[in-house]
């Protein structure tokens, strides 16, 4: 899937044939612009064709969320010990018309570092951000109860109980500054919306109280609101922030299913929300099995070369581990909530932990002595386990809140292929 991306980068003169990033400082601005435009345009055309293909998804593979999962070297190396393949966002392609020099350089450095991993198929680079581009239409939403009746009570309360609202102030240098005080103190006309136990590094979090006067939208940067008007606006703003979040999650989980991957998030808040959205016969919805939570031992991973050598030399052991994770999630599907933790712990120690020890031994056997490497481990990997996918409710929620879905969104029935894999995975990678 991504080998073609490497070929396009080489053809555009952004990477050498050996995978080294070209020195952009030696090129004129016009030449740099020409080369990145050549790559971006070609990549969008080829990526669309690739995504439209059917993938069996028989292995446990991962698609990293563009907003709630971080892509770093140690996280990719550790994840490559668990997942058959890892799909990440193409840092050089998006729906935006421009790219900064710094982002371009960092993107090329990522391609260069992961060159061999991409060629081996262990990392797949897809322009996820481009496919997740925002709509140019402005929705006109109306509800007598602010859509409260359209959302299950437990989900509504979870979102609003975990929302954190901060005041935002525009300074003399036109910067938007997030204040420490709670938004309810001064009731200013600008809000920053976040959630407890969340990890979200991109997307909209700033909301303005704007009014329409004589056909013109205005915002009073020094204005304040009455207590009643602030409560109404703050409530709507939380709903608006969550709606934008849901659209991104749904688009990326659909793309993950199309390409045979499982959606990955590092956000505990997002993971709990997805679990509560579960379409399950159990009242608790989807239940997470924390397969690697007990793995407190670190695995030494020196470089992409270590991963490639490990996956090549011990391919049978890796494939057995990958299949074991899938089979254990399947075995837990019909376990009642009151017995789930006991059963999951038993399966972890019986089926998973011995293979983690085996992989650690295999890594140590090929690690170069005296070379300090990256110490990283997936100390948290939770796979959503439910009788059905936890995701179909998400587009249903968006449909009720946004007064109907457009044809741009895939039908809910197309999400059913997720039933063969965990609906989503929450994991955390630590580093020392």
């Amino acid at each position: 899937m991504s080998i073609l991306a490497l070929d396009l980068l080489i053809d555009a003169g952004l990477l050498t044939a050996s995978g080294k990033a070209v020195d952009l400082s030696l090129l004129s601005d016009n030449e740099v612009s020409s080369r990145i435009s050549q790559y971006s345009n070609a990549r969008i055309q080829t990526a669309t064709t690739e995504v439209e293909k059917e993938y069996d998804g028989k292995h446990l593979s991962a698609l990293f969320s563009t907003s709630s999962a971080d892509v770093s070297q140690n996280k990719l190396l550790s994840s490559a010990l668990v997942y058959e393949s890892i799909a990440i966002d193409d840092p050089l392609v998006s729906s935006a018309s421009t790219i900064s020099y710094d982002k371009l350089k960092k993107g090329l450095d990522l391609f260069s570092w992961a060159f061999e991993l991409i060629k081996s198929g262990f990392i797949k680079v897809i322009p996820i951000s481009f496919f997740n581009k925002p709509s140019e239409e402005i929705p006109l939403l109306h509800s007598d109860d602010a859509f409260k009746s359209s959302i299950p009570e437990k989900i509504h309360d979870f979102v609003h109980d975990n929302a954190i609202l901060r005041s935002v102030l525009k300074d003399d240098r036109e910067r938007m500054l997030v204040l420490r005080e709670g938004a309810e103190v001064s009731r200013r006309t600008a809000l920053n919306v976040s959630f407890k136990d969340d990890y979200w590094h991109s997307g909209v979090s700033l909301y303005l109280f704007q009014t329409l006067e004589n056909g013109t939208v205005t915002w009073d940067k020094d204005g304040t609101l009455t207590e009643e008007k602030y409560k109404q606006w703050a409530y709507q703003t939380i709903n608006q922030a969550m709606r934008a979040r849901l659209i991104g999650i749904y688009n990326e989980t659909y793309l993950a299913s199309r390409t045979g991957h499982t959606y990955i998030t590092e956000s505990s808040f997002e993971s709990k929300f997805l679990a509560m959205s579960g379409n399950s016969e159990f009242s608790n919805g989807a239940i997470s099995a924390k397969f690697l939570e007990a793995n407190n031992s670190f695995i030494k991973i020196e470089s992409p070369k270590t991963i490639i050598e490990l996956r090549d030399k011990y391919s049978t052991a890796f494939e057995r581990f990958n299949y074991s994770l899938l089979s254990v999630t399947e075995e837990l599907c019909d376990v009642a909530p009151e017995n789930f933790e006991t059963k999951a712990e038993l399966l972890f120690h019986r089926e998973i932990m011995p293979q983690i020890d085996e992989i650690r031994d295999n890594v140590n056997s090929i690690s170069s002595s005296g070379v300090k490497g990256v110490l990283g481990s997936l100390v948290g990997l939770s796979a959503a386990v439910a009788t059905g996918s936890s995701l179909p409710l998400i587009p249903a929620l968006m449909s009720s809140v946004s007064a109907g879905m457009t044809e741009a969104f895939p039908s809910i029935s197309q999400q059913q292929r997720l039933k063969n894999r965990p609906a989503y995975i929450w994991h955390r990678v630590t580093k020392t």
Side-chain angles (χ1 to χ4, degrees):
M1 179 183 292
S2 298
I3 297 178
L4 182 57
L6 297 179
D7 293 337
L8 293 174
L9 285 169
I10 295 172
D11 290 343
L14 294 171
L15 284 183
T16 66
S18 60
K20 301 297 183 182
V22 299
D23 189 348
L24 298 178
S25 65
L26 300 178
L27 306 175
S28 66
D29 290 344
N30 288 338
E31 182 61 24
V32 172
S33 177
S34 175
R35 294 188 184 190
I36 187 59
S37 295
Q38 177 183 331
Y39 169 74
S40 180
N41 293 334
R43 186 66 187 121
I44 290 172
Q45 295 178 4
T46 57
T48 301
T49 303
E50 291 171 353
V51 169
E52 290 175 351
K53 294 180 181 179
E54 290 291 337
Y55 297 89
D56 54 33
K58 64 180 180 179
H59 295 95
L60 182 62
S61 297
L63 182 142
F64 279 30
S65 166
T66 61
S67 58
S68 62
D70 185 36
V71 175
S72 63
Q73 292 183 11
N74 72 300
K75 290 181 180 181
L76 290 175
L77 290 175
S78 293
S79 298
L81 292 176
V82 177
Y83 307 112
E84 172 69 18
S85 66
I86 306 164
I88 62 174
D89 190 26
D90 190 328
L92 304 180
V93 180
S94 72
S95 57
S97 58
T98 60
I99 183 172
S100 68
Y101 184 89
D102 183 60
K103 185 177 181 180
L104 173 57
K105 187 178 184 306
K106 288 181 178 179
L108 291 176
D109 288 342
L110 176 63
F111 272 107
S112 180
W113 173 82
F115 188 76
E116 295 299 332
L117 291 173
I118 295 173
K119 285 181 62 178
S120 301
F122 300 149
I123 291 182
K124 299 176 180 179
V125 186
I126 307 172
I128 303 172
S129 296
F130 174 79
F131 289 111
N132 198 19
K133 56 187 175 183
S135 171
E136 295 180 355
E137 298 181 358
I138 300 177
L140 297 178
L141 310 177
H142 172 74
S143 171
D144 293 334
D145 65 350
F147 302 102
K148 185 175 182 179
S149 60
S150 302
I151 305 172
E153 184 177 357
K154 65 174 184 177
I155 295 179
H156 169 276
D157 293 346
F158 174 76
V159 170
H160 283 266
D161 289 346
N162 285 276
I164 302 173
L165 303 180
R166 302 291 186 193
S167 293
V168 179
L169 187 64
K170 191 174 186 178
D171 69 2
D172 296 337
R173 298 170 58 184
E174 300 297 310
R175 297 177 301 178
M176 302 299 287
L177 306 178
V178 180
L179 306 182
R180 292 184 177 180
E181 69 175 26
E184 72 281 356
V185 176
S186 301
R187 302 190 296 275
R188 300 179 187 274
T189 57
L191 286 178
N192 175 268
V193 182
S194 60
F195 297 94
K196 297 176 185 176
D197 299 322
D198 196 13
Y199 177 76
W200 199 42
H201 59 82
S202 67
V204 178
S205 58
L206 173 65
Y207 294 86
L208 306 179
F209 184 87
Q210 297 174 309
T211 58
L212 183 64
E213 299 178 2
N214 300 322
T216 302
V217 176
T218 60
W219 170 58
D220 182 2
K221 70 181 184 67
D222 299 316
T224 57
L225 304 176
T226 65
E227 185 174 355
E228 180 180 2
K229 185 170 289 187
Y230 166 77
K231 287 183 177 180
Q232 293 175 347
W233 178 55
Y235 181 86
Q236 293 277 17
T237 300
I238 295 172
N239 289 346
Q240 188 177 357
M242 200 61 208
R243 176 180 178 271
R245 185 79 170 262
L246 285 173
I247 292 174
I249 293 173
Y250 180 64
N251 285 348
E252 293 185 13
T253 53
Y254 173 74
L255 184 60
S257 70
R258 286 288 303 177
T259 56
H261 293 72
T262 295
Y263 178 77
I264 302 296
T265 177
E266 291 184 64
S267 166
S268 177
F269 166 79
E270 190 173 291
S271 174
K272 291 176 182 177
F273 174 85
L274 288 170
M276 295 178 72
S277 303
N279 184 17
S280 170
E281 64 183 39
F282 298 132
S283 59
N284 291 339
I287 310 170
S288 291
K290 299 178 180 179
F291 296 122
L292 302 186
E293 191 69 29
N295 179 26
N296 294 320
S297 299
F298 288 96
I299 299 175
K300 183 175 182 179
I301 310 169
E302 297 172 355
S303 68
K305 182 180 178 181
T306 304
I307 294 295
I308 294 171
E309 188 175 351
L310 174 72
R311 294 279 296 265
D312 180 59
K313 189 175 182 179
Y314 301 104
S315 58
T316 301
F318 173 82
E319 187 169 309
R320 184 171 65 250
F321 177 57
N322 190 273
Y323 276 128
S324 293
L325 288 171
L326 284 174
S327 65
V328 168
T329 61
E330 184 177 352
E331 189 170 345
L332 288 168
C333 281
D334 298 323
V335 178
E338 61 270 19
N339 302 323
F340 184 86
E341 291 296 334
T342 301
K343 181 70 172 180
E345 184 176 359
L346 175 64
L347 289 174
F348 171 81
H349 287 289
R350 189 182 71 193
E351 305 291 343
I352 305 301
M353 194 61 190
Q355 296 188 61
I356 293 175
D357 292 335
E358 180 183 4
I359 289 177
R360 187 188 301 110
D361 291 340
N362 292 340
V363 172
N364 291 335
S365 71
I366 65 174
S367 294
S368 301
S369 60
V371 179
K372 184 179 180 181
V374 176
L375 293 180
S377 176
L378 280 169
V379 298
L381 185 147
S382 301
V385 179
T387 54
S389 168
S390 68
L391 299 176
L393 181 58
I394 294 178
L397 288 174
M398 289 194 297
S399 179
S400 63
V401 173
S402 61
M405 306 288 287
T406 69
E407 66 278 3
F409 288 99
S411 64
I412 296 175
S413 62
Q414 289 178 299
Q415 286 283 2
Q416 296 307 306
R417 62 170 58 89
L418 280 169
K419 287 185 176 181
N420 296 325
R421 302 190 306 279
Y424 68 93
I425 287 177
W426 170 84
H427 78 198
R428 183 178 69 253
V429 179
T430 63
K431 179 182 178 182
T432 60

